[in-house]
Amino acid sequence: MKYILTISILILISFSSCTKHECLERKNDNLICTEQYEPVCGCNNVTYSNACYAQRAGATYYTNGACN
């Protein structure tokens, strides 16, 4: 029983030390983006006209298609 409790505590500690990824980083106004419309949904639930604009806004990840 002590063994199971010890393992459980170690697992809990290891998961609690993980940090969440931040959704937005610093904006990169130096990126030059084209005006083509291929919408992506940023991690902040904002629809950008294409992946370049999402990256320019600092979105760390996005999915293809407009946000719902």
Side-chain angles (χ1 to χ4, degrees):
M1 183 69 171
K2 277 186 174 182
Y3 181 73
I4 293 173
L5 183 60
T6 303
I7 296 295
S8 298
I9 290 172
L10 289 174
I11 291 172
L12 255 169
I13 290 171
S14 69
F15 281 120
S16 66
S17 66
C18 295
T19 58
K20 287 186 176 180
H21 294 284
E22 294 296 321
C23 176
L24 295 177
E25 292 179 344
R26 188 175 0 164
K27 289 183 179 183
N28 185 355
D29 292 327
N30 294 326
L31 273 177
I32 299 172
C33 300
T34 62
E35 294 297 320
Q36 67 196 48
Y37 187 71
E38 293 178 3
V40 296
C41 182
C43 54
N44 56 347
N45 206 34
V46 171
T47 299
Y48 297 96
S49 58
N50 60 47
C52 182
Y53 280 103
Q55 293 168 0
R56 184 176 180 182
T60 55
Y61 56 94
Y62 47 86
T63 57
N64 290 328
C67 300
N68 294 328

